[in-house]
């Protein structure tokens, strides 16, 4: 009997018994019940009916429910693939009574359907292979003798009815609420199957296929049981288990529902028919088959992989499947391509899968693509680990987790398969130590880390995906408002932490990326990205709409800006190597800034660069760019990297594993920044300035790629404009400028002489006054300043050997220059006298006893300044 026929027979049987056929609810638990993450049984969607909180127009129901058990109390994940009957995703057939019929009808229906004639729509199983279990009584709760007698009345021989305790035959929804005894139906698969001859023992010989729960008590907070006035029925039959019996196969994985999925797996893995029952191949195939069913339905119901909650369970399932794919020898991406086989197997019951298959495959493919490199690297390290002591030490586990992002549950799987102990306590100790270091290592950037931001070390680390992708799907793990307070939702300006991000955070001289976070109902402009705490990426945002903690988001980096930054960063490496070639190997990087518009590179050198040296550095760097050399980026141990010739930045701290960026044959540096894939993306490298930073440190600024082109175009436009203005060819411009420079200098000298002559010749305009026996000379002129005004002072002094002389010159409408001179024989102080003039001139200045000078912005105040000087005398 095909599984689809079994499903229909069950539903149709109970429809004939007056039950309403109800569609399966999603695998996600009810939205209004945070205590239930997954739908792990048929009764979950009817929970409020059983509790009396909801009324419907039927009191009998039957379903084939999609179920998931991969976390919490019901977690079968670790056993999936290794046993004959455990699954993460499965279907549960059920019939339910909400205060309608009770034990008598439930038992009669079950026995009739399982053992009744196939021709009449039943299953026709052999009664002599069936066992029935009932509650034996415990903790003051009486034995369920009523059920025992009803089973006998239905036709079950007394010797086939066994009593068990609360562990196996008493059900409760929680610590309080509805509860009651249950009866289970077990099927003896035969002595050829390993296991105990009686139910609830070891092995797979006897398999539970149906559980009938009799909700007849209410348990209060003190543990007291009170009979329910309207007891109810909740039953669950495992679809896959029952199908394996009807199809005469030894495991659930051999039923027809799995055939198309296995065929797809074996096709991509190239597993030959004669190798398919080999233990390793069989186990790996069963894990993948189970997990693609679970992942397909979880994705259909709207779950996206993430680092917490339901999304994390989906991520674990996908990644576990990928690891077992490697065990089958599958190297490329494959998991998402198996989803259509799930529709092929189950599309008759779930036709809605077809319309969503494209979306499901994209979601699975994205996660697989993101994890495949991590998986390969992690497995290589695991296989090379020293486990001769029988233990994988915590420090090795932590390194896998922290450096490579390798999930701890996959490490535990790997250890379990090899009989090795995973030192999880040691791992936790390392993790706690890292959190302590993270708190100590926090740095502020432009953000104060007071208040709630101090909690960043306790937020899960962000997974950076920006080396490979400029877009990724993620979830919000923390929000902070503009005042650094932790919030659950955010509008306007603030900060966002994601579980994964393509945004490069400001580090190593490279600026942070900018872009957008898109989410349902709005978007956020990402203005900057920093890491105030190690591996916690803080996105500075301006939110349109409202972003909420745990919300899924699409993170997009502005691609053009990133490409320009990458071009400048790789150009920095080329310039470093070129400077060492031209100036000598003493040149070492002393700092840098890399952004979208330019690069700045500080380096150790003792003298200014000659123009010819700058040109040669440009030529060498640009020549490497024009060769279109593919860059290489590798991760390796720090010692290995330094031994390979990689240059490290002096004073920088590096971890055990470092990132090495190479332009093969020219440059090798330790660098965590983003770079071009090919030097041809850089184009021209143009130095725009060179100067000193401090003793022994020089600085160049340069542009590359698009920005170099913009600079050249701007320069070209300027040259063409000058040529048009001068009405000569561009090649004649240098000579024209030289000629004009000479002519301008000559004219300036002539003008100065003329102004000075005019001012000197105006001796009659000098005002000479006697104040308390000393001579005061005042003169106001036009157009003289600086040296010219001082020369005039010298000329006036020749006419007045003992005097206080004040000169003021109107240089422009808003500019005045002034001088005060006191002859050596007088006791007055020129600086003090000049200070008296400044308020009227609206300026500043000063000097010594014999001479003071300065200026201001109020030429109209010259008469008032002279008056202030007389008053001071």
């Amino acid at each position: 009997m095909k599984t689809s026929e079994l499903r229909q027979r069950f539903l149709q049987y109970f429809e004939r018994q007056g039950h309403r056929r109800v569609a399966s609810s999603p695998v996600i638990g009810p939205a209004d019940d945070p205590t239930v993450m997954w739908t792990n049984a048929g009764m979950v969607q009817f929970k409020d009916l059983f509790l009396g909180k909801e009324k419907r127009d039927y009191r009998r129901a039957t379903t084939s429910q999609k179920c998931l058990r991969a976390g919490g109390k019901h977690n079968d994940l670790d056993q999936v693939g290794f046993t004959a009957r455990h699954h993460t995703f499965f279907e549960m057939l059920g019939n339910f009574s909400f205060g309608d019929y009770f034990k008598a009808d439930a038992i009669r229906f079950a026995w009739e359907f399982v053992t009744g004639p196939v021709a009449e729509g039943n299953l026709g199983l052999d009664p002599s292979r069936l066992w029935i279990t009932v509650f034996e009584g415990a903790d003051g709760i009486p034995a369920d003798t009523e059920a025992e007698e009803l089973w006998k009345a239905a036709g079950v021989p007394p010797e086939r009815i066994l009593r068990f305790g609360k562990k196996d035959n008493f059900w409760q929804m929680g610590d309080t609420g509805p509860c009651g005894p249950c009866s289970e139906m077990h099927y003896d698969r035969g002595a050829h199957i390993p296991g105990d001859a009686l139910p609830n023992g070891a092995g797979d010989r006897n398999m539970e296929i149906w559980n009938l729960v009799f909700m007849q008590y209410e348990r209060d907070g003190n543990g007291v049981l009170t009979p329910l006035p309207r007891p109810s029925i909740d039953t669950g039959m495992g679809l896959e288990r029952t199908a394996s019996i009807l199809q005469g196969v030894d495991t659930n994985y051999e039923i027809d529902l799995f055939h198309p999925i296995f065929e797809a797996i074996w096709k991509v893995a190239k597993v030959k028919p004669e190798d398919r029952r080999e233990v390793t191949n069989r186990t790996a195939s069963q894990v993948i088959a189970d997990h693609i069913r679970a992942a397909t339905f979880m994705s259909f119901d709207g779950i996206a992989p993430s680092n917490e909650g339901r999304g994390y369970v989906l991520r674990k399932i996908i990644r576990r499947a990928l690891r077992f794919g490697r065990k089958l020898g599958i190297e490329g991406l494959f998991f998402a391509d198996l989803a259509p086989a799930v529709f092929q197997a189950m599309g008759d019951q779930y036709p809605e899968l077809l319309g969503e298959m494209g979306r499901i495959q994209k979601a699975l493919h994205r996660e697989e693509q993101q994890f495949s490199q991590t998986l390969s690297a992690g497995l290589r390290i695991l296989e090379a680990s020293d486990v001769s002591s029988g233990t994988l030490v915590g420090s090795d586990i932590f390194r896998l987790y922290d450096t490579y992002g390798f999930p701890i549950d996959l490490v535990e799987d790997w250890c379990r398969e090899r009989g090795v102990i995973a030192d999880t306590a040691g791992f936790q100790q390392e993790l706690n130590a890292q959190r302590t270091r993270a708190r100590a290592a926090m740095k502020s950037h432009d953000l104060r880390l007071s208040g709630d931001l101090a909690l960043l070390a306790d937020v899960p680390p962000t997974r950076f995906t920006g080396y490979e992708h400029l877009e990724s799907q993620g979830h919000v793990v923390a929000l902070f408002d503009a005042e650094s307070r932790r919030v659950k939702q955010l509008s306007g300006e603030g900060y966002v932490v994601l579980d994964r991000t393509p945004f490069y955070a400001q580090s190593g001289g490279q600026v942070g990326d900018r872009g957008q976070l898109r989410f349902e109902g709005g978007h956020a402009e990402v203005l900057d990205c920093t890491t105030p705490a190690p591996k916690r990426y803080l996105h500075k945002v301006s939110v349109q709409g409202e972003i909420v903690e745990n919300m899924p988001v699409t993170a997009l980096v502005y691609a053009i800006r990133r490409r320009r930054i990458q071009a400048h960063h790789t150009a920095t490496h080329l310039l470093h190597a070129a400077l060492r070639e031209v100036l000598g190997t003493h040149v070492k990087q002393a700092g840098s800034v890399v952004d979208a518009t330019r690069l700045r590179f500080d380096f150790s050198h003792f003298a200014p660069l000659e123009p010819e040296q700058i040109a040669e550095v440009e030529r060498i760097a640009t020549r490497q760019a024009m060769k279109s050399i593919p860059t290489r980026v590798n991760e390796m141990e720090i010692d290995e990297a330094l031994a390979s010739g990689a240059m490290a930045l002096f004073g920088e701290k590096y971890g055990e594993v470092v990132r090495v960026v190479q332009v093969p044959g020219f440059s090798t540096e330790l660098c965590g920044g983003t770079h071009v894939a090919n030097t041809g993306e850089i184009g021209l490298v143009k130095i725009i300035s060179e100067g000193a930073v401090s003793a022994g440190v020089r600085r160049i600024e340069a542009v590359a790629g698009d920005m170099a082109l913009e600079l050249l175009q701007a320069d070209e436009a300027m040259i063409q404009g000058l040529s048009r203005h001068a009405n000569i060819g561009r090649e004649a411009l240098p000579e024209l400028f030289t000629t004009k420079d000479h002519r301008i200098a000559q004219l300036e000298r002539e003008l100065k002489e003329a102004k000075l002559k005019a001012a000197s010749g105006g001796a009659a305009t000098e005002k000479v006054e006697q104040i308390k026996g000393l001579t005061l000379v005042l003169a106001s002129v036009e157009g003289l300043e600086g040296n010219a005004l001082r020369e005039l002072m010298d000329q006036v002094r020749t006419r007045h050997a003992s005097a206080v002389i004040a000169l003021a010159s109107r240089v422009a409408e808003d500019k005045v220059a002034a001088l005060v001179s006191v002859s050596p024989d007088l006791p007055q102080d020129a600086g003090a006298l000049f200070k008296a003039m400044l308020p009227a001139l609206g300026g500043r200045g000063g000097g010594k006893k014999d001479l003071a000078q300065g200026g201001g912005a109020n030429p109209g105040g010259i008469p008032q300044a002279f008056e202030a000087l007389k008053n001071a005398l």
Side-chain angles (χ1 to χ4, degrees):
M1 185 184 295
K2 289 188 177 297
T3 308
S4 58
E5 182 180 348
L6 165 60
R7 186 191 294 116
Q8 291 306 314
R9 280 179 175 247
F10 184 93
L11 297 172
Q12 289 167 1
Y13 173 86
F14 283 99
E15 283 181 314
R16 292 195 298 270
Q17 311 305 325
H19 292 61
R20 173 76 61 84
R21 184 189 294 211
V22 179
S24 171
S25 63
V27 295
I28 304 171
D32 58 352
D33 188 351
T35 67
V36 181
M37 179 178 283
W38 305 112
T39 299
N40 52 36
M43 61 79 58
V44 170
Q45 68 165 309
F46 302 119
K47 183 177 176 181
D48 284 348
L49 279 172
F50 286 121
L51 294 174
K53 296 179 180 179
E54 180 185 351
K55 300 290 184 184
R56 299 188 188 179
D57 62 351
Y58 54 84
R59 295 176 64 186
R60 299 183 178 194
T62 184
T63 64
S64 180
Q65 174 64 50
K66 300 180 295 185
C67 294
L68 198 86
R69 292 186 176 177
K73 178 182 176 182
H74 300 287
N75 184 2
D76 293 339
L77 183 59
D78 292 342
Q79 299 183 66
V80 169
F82 294 92
T83 70
R85 60 180 183 269
H86 283 98
H87 302 286
T88 51
F89 174 87
F90 62 96
E91 286 182 83
M92 185 176 286
L93 304 171
N95 61 290
F96 309 91
S97 165
F98 313 112
D100 187 29
Y101 64 85
F102 197 44
K103 291 182 186 178
D105 285 338
I107 289 171
R108 177 173 59 83
F109 293 154
W111 189 253
E112 180 178 74
F113 177 68
V114 170
T115 64
V118 174
E120 296 178 12
N122 304 307
L123 301 185
L125 294 185
D126 181 357
S128 67
R129 305 284 290 272
L130 293 169
W131 292 95
I132 304 297
T133 66
V134 297
F135 180 53
E136 67 179 4
D139 299 335
I141 308 170
D144 194 2
T145 55
E146 180 187 8
E148 188 171 351
E149 293 305 316
L150 288 170
W151 283 113
K152 292 176 184 177
V156 181
E159 66 273 13
R160 305 297 293 184
I161 303 174
L162 305 174
R163 293 185 178 189
F164 287 90
K166 289 180 69 175
K167 177 179 177 292
D168 297 302
N169 282 89
F170 194 87
W171 178 92
Q172 57 189 45
M173 186 174 289
D175 293 335
T176 62
C179 59
C182 60
S183 275
E184 294 178 343
M185 189 178 292
H186 295 252
Y187 186 82
D188 186 348
R189 303 164 70 94
H192 68 289
I193 302 293
D196 292 348
L198 296 176
N200 294 327
D204 292 325
R205 173 173 170 174
N206 276 282
M207 180 171 66
E208 175 198 341
I209 60 172
W210 205 344
N211 186 13
L212 285 65
V213 175
F214 309 127
M215 295 189 197
Q216 66 185 84
Y217 300 112
E218 172 87 15
R219 186 192 298 274
D220 66 18
N222 296 319
V224 177
L225 300 182
T226 304
L228 289 170
R230 297 174 62 190
S232 299
I233 293 293
D234 159 28
T235 84
M237 169 185 275
L239 176 72
E240 291 84 358
R241 293 185 178 199
T242 308
S244 72
I245 295 169
L246 294 169
Q247 295 175 20
V249 294
D250 292 340
T251 74
N252 293 3
Y253 291 99
E254 297 174 81
I255 65 174
D256 60 317
L257 276 187
F258 285 95
H259 291 173
I261 302 172
F262 281 130
E263 289 299 329
I265 293 169
W266 293 332
K267 181 178 180 181
V268 71
K270 298 180 174 61
V271 178
K272 298 176 182 178
E274 61 269 23
D275 296 330
R276 292 173 183 175
R277 298 197 66 82
E278 189 272 326
V279 174
T280 301
N281 290 340
R282 185 179 74 243
T283 300
S285 299
Q286 289 176 177
V287 169
I288 297 167
D290 172 272
H291 289 5
I292 188 59
R293 293 209 312 164
T296 298
F297 280 99
M298 292 166 80
S299 299
F300 175 81
D301 284 336
I303 304 167
S306 71
N307 276 347
E308 61 183 20
R310 296 184 176 103
Y312 181 59
V313 175
L314 175 55
R315 173 163 285 168
K316 284 173 63 176
I317 287 172
I318 295 172
R319 292 180 170 186
R320 189 168 187 263
L322 299 183
R323 186 174 74 81
F324 278 92
R326 295 292 192 275
K327 293 175 75 68
L328 275 181
I330 304 173
E331 290 299 330
L333 304 179
F334 73 96
F335 193 63
D337 296 335
L338 301 178
V342 178
F343 174 75
Q344 183 182 348
M346 306 181 70
D348 60 329
Q349 176 69 7
Y350 303 103
E352 62 270 20
L353 280 176
L354 183 60
E356 296 293 318
M357 190 52 64
R359 176 182 65 82
I360 292 168
Q361 286 188 273
K362 284 182 181 178
L364 299 182
H365 178 79
R366 185 164 52 240
E367 177 68 13
E368 181 178 13
Q369 193 171 41
Q370 290 173 345
F371 185 61
S372 58
Q373 290 182 336
T374 297
L375 179 62
S376 297
L379 288 175
R380 282 197 301 271
I381 292 170
L382 274 174
E383 295 298 340
S385 299
D386 180 9
V387 291
S388 56
S389 64
T391 299
L392 181 63
V393 298
S395 57
D396 287 348
I397 300 173
F398 177 76
R399 180 187 166 205
L400 280 164
Y401 169 83
D402 186 60
T403 304
Y404 298 95
F406 201 78
I408 184 67
D409 54 289
L410 292 193
V411 174
E412 290 175 322
D413 265 359
W414 184 90
C415 290
R416 189 181 301 111
E417 291 166 18
R418 288 157 179 78
V420 172
I421 297 171
D423 178 18
T424 54
F427 163 77
Q428 192 61 47
Q429 187 175 356
E430 294 278 350
L431 185 62
N432 292 338
Q434 185 216 43
R435 287 173 176 165
T436 301
R437 290 192 299 271
R439 293 188 189 98
M442 284 184 176
K443 50 188 184 295
S444 64
H445 299 300
D446 63 339
L447 179 70
R448 69 181 194 278
L449 281 173
S450 59
D452 291 345
L453 278 171
L455 302 175
L456 272 178
D458 295 323
V459 171
T462 306
R463 177 113 172 101
F464 176 60
T465 62
Y467 290 135
E468 301 86 12
H469 309 287
L470 295 183
E471 176 180 345
S472 72
Q473 309 299 315
H475 282 74
V476 176
V477 299
L479 295 168
F480 301 88
D481 65 14
E483 301 301 317
S484 306
R485 293 183 296 255
R486 183 79 181 264
V487 293
K488 291 294 184 182
Q489 56 270 333
L490 177 68
S491 295
E493 294 194 351
Y495 303 91
V496 178
V497 182
L498 303 176
D499 60 348
R500 63 170 54 235
T501 183
F503 284 85
Y504 183 86
Q506 178 185 335
S507 179
Q510 180 174 326
V511 297
D513 281 328
R514 296 178 186 169
Q516 283 192 346
L517 304 180
R518 296 177 183 173
F519 51 88
E520 186 174 349
H523 71 277
E525 194 74 16
V526 178
L527 308 174
D528 197 8
C529 185
T530 58
T531 51
K535 298 189 179 181
R536 275 69 175 179
Y537 284 61
L538 197 65
H539 305 76
K540 184 178 181 181
V541 296
S542 177
V543 180
Q544 303 295 317
E546 184 177 73
I547 191 168
V548 180
E549 197 170 282
N550 296 322
M551 175 181 279
V553 299
T554 299
L556 301 106
V557 174
Y558 287 146
I560 293 176
R561 183 175 183 271
R562 167 68 88 80
R563 283 199 296 270
R564 289 177 173 178
I565 293 171
Q566 290 181 164
H568 281 142
H569 203 152
T570 311
T572 303
H573 288 210
L574 297 182
L575 286 169
H576 189 186
L579 284 164
R580 288 170 61 84
E581 188 172 322
V582 172
L583 303 178
T585 56
H586 65 278
V587 169
K588 298 281 193 308
Q589 180 176 346
S592 68
V593 173
V594 176
D595 64 25
T597 59
R598 66 183 178 114
L599 68 89
R600 190 181 80 198
F601 185 73
D602 297 346
F603 58 98
S604 55
H605 188 56
F606 45 81
L609 271 67
E610 300 295 334
E612 296 79 9
Q613 291 175 316
I614 292 175
E616 181 63 12
V617 170
E618 286 179 339
R619 279 192 291 270
I620 293 171
T622 300
R623 194 179 302 129
Q624 294 298 320
M626 294 304 184
K627 286 181 179 179
S628 294
I629 304 169
T631 57
R632 294 179 188 167
V633 179
N634 297 296
E635 287 189 347
M636 59 181 71
E637 301 283 349
I638 180 68
D639 293 339
E640 179 187 356
L642 295 176
S644 71
M647 293 192 64
L649 180 59
F650 178 77
E652 187 76 8
K653 292 182 178 180
Y654 297 97
E656 291 182 12
V657 178
V658 293
R659 193 166 180 267
V660 179
V661 178
Q662 286 184 298
V663 177
F666 187 70
S667 167
T668 303
E669 294 195 26
L670 305 185
C671 184
T674 62
H675 290 270
V676 298
N678 186 296
T679 60
E681 298 172 38
I682 298 172
L684 174 68
V685 181
K686 179 64 181 170
I687 296 174
I688 56 178
S689 70
E690 188 273 338
V693 177
S694 60
V697 179
R698 309 294 299 178
R699 171 176 293 169
I700 58 172
E701 294 193 4
V703 289
D706 292 347
M707 301 312 297
L709 177 61
E710 287 186 18
L711 175 68
L712 292 180
Q713 289 174 331
D715 287 352
E716 179 65 21
M718 180 174 62
I719 292 170
Q720 289 181 1
L722 290 170
S723 296
R724 287 193 299 270
H725 181 74
N727 197 28
I728 60 174
R730 60 190 296 160
E731 65 280 354
L733 284 174
E735 183 180 352
L736 174 66
F737 284 133
T738 300
T739 302
K740 285 185 177 290
D741 281 346
H742 289 318
R743 180 59 179 154
I744 288 169
Q746 180 184 356
L747 291 173
E748 285 178 341
R749 284 194 300 271
E750 292 174 0
L751 178 61
K752 175 184 172 183
E753 290 169 0
K755 286 180 177 180
L756 188 58
K757 185 176 181 181
S760 302
T765 64
E766 296 173 2
K767 290 186 178 181
V768 181
E769 301 183 24
Q770 296 296 317
I771 299 178
K772 292 185 177 180
L774 65 85
T775 302
L776 172 64
V777 181
L778 302 174
S780 177
V781 298
E782 298 282 338
L784 295 183
E785 61 180 323
N787 290 333
L789 193 60
R790 281 189 290 274
E791 286 183 27
L792 177 61
M793 174 65 77
D794 292 340
Q795 293 180 14
V796 174
R797 173 63 63 191
T798 61
R799 292 191 290 270
H800 305 280
S802 178
V804 173
I805 304 171
L807 304 180
S809 172
R810 181 188 296 269
V811 180
E813 288 185 4
D814 60 351
K815 185 176 181 181
V816 61
L819 281 176
V820 173
S821 173
V822 178
S823 58
D825 61 308
L826 299 177
Q828 282 74 21
D829 185 284
L833 295 173
F834 189 81
K835 189 175 181 181
M837 297 173 62
L838 287 177
L841 298 177
R844 60 184 181 180
K848 300 178 181 178
K849 179 181 181 302
D850 60 334
L851 182 68
Q853 60 185 337
N858 183 25
I862 291 176
Q864 291 85 354
F866 285 163
E867 230 12 74
L869 175 61
K870 285 194 282 183
N871 292 336
L873 283 171

